[in-house]
Amino acid sequence: MKKQLLTAAVSAGILFGSFNGTASAHENIYTVQSGDTLWKISQANRISVTDLKTWNHLTTDTLYVNQKLSLLAPHSHDTTYTVQSGDTLWKISIRFNISVTELKSRNNLTSDTIQVGQVLKISTASTTEPAPPSLSKAQMVINEANKYIETPYLWGGNTPAGFDCSGYTSFVFNKVGISIPRTAASQWLGLKPVSTPTPGDLVFFETYAPGPTHVGIYLGSNKFIQAGSTGVSIADMTNSYWKPRYLGARTAF
């Protein structure tokens, strides 16, 4: 069914249609209808707009027809997330610090396809407090790397005040107890080559000069996290800029 965006004008109070959405008495899930706004739903269910947004992990007031909203505060043992426009399993996994594989397993998903309004189970009683020793070194590197997204770029920088590419990778690895060389060239020469990167490995690119001049941390699914000119961010190795510049991968494990 075609998803219809409810505009900011509607959110401000220009409402169309009647309040005929449905909520399950057992699960307290409300299905957004045409003309709904967060305010309208909150008034009908005697809850605040703030609670609605918090319980459903909403960052804006925008709603979509057929979107599912929880009308109850999430229990400590059962956390859910309602899929928003632009979401992917990868983005959601990064946000909640779990793997895509684990996210698919918890929700019995057989593909990477998700729909706006779909409610995903994020944690359960048995997984809300995973034991730290069970984390692999690679996962520890990825978890640490994600902490610094949007940190600004700084030539020669190797602290959270600002990073260059290899300052970032060496800082992240050192934080989890793995010492690697400081520069992209020395990391390329000093670490073990691998034919295909796996999550946590370093991926290298030839950018402004011949040889390995840029490095990032491989996340899986052709994504890597890196300190680029706009700061620490996640990039796609298959896009038109990075793909022809890729040199290879190295591992520190």
Side-chain angles (χ1 to χ4, degrees), residues 121-165:
K121 184 183 295 183
I122 302 300
S123 63
T124 63
S126 61
T127 57
T128 50
E129 297 182 0
S134 68
L135 291 177
S136 67
K137 279 289 187 180
Q139 189 60 53
M140 290 170 66
V141 166
I142 291 172
N143 292 351
E144 187 67 26
N146 283 320
K147 294 178 182 179
Y148 307 101
I149 286 179
E150 297 186 352
T151 297
Y153 180 83
L154 178 64
W155 178 264
N158 61 355
T159 74
F163 292 113
D164 65 15
C165 66

Side-chain angles (χ1 to χ4, degrees), residues 66 96 226:
N66 292 326
F96 290 97
Q226 44 100 35

Side-chain angles (χ1 to χ4, degrees), residues 200-211:
D201 288 341
L202 294 171
V203 286
F204 293 82
F205 303 85
E206 184 176 86
T207 53
Y208 61 87

Side-chain angles (χ1 to χ4, degrees), residues 186-248:
S186 59
Q187 290 171 13
W188 172 263
L189 292 173
L191 299 177
K192 180 182 177 181
V194 290
S195 57
T196 303
T198 58
D201 288 341
L202 294 171
V203 286
F204 293 82
F205 303 85
E206 184 176 86
T207 53
Y208 61 87
T213 52
H214 189 71
V215 60
I217 299 169
Y218 187 66
L219 300 173
S221 301
N222 293 314
K223 302 293 192 302
F224 70 104
I225 188 167
Q226 44 100 35
S229 59
T230 60
V232 176
S233 62
I234 295 173
D236 190 330
M237 293 176 62
T238 64
N239 74 24
S240 59
Y241 180 81
W242 293 114
K243 185 175 182 179
R245 290 170 171 81
Y246 177 62
L247 288 180

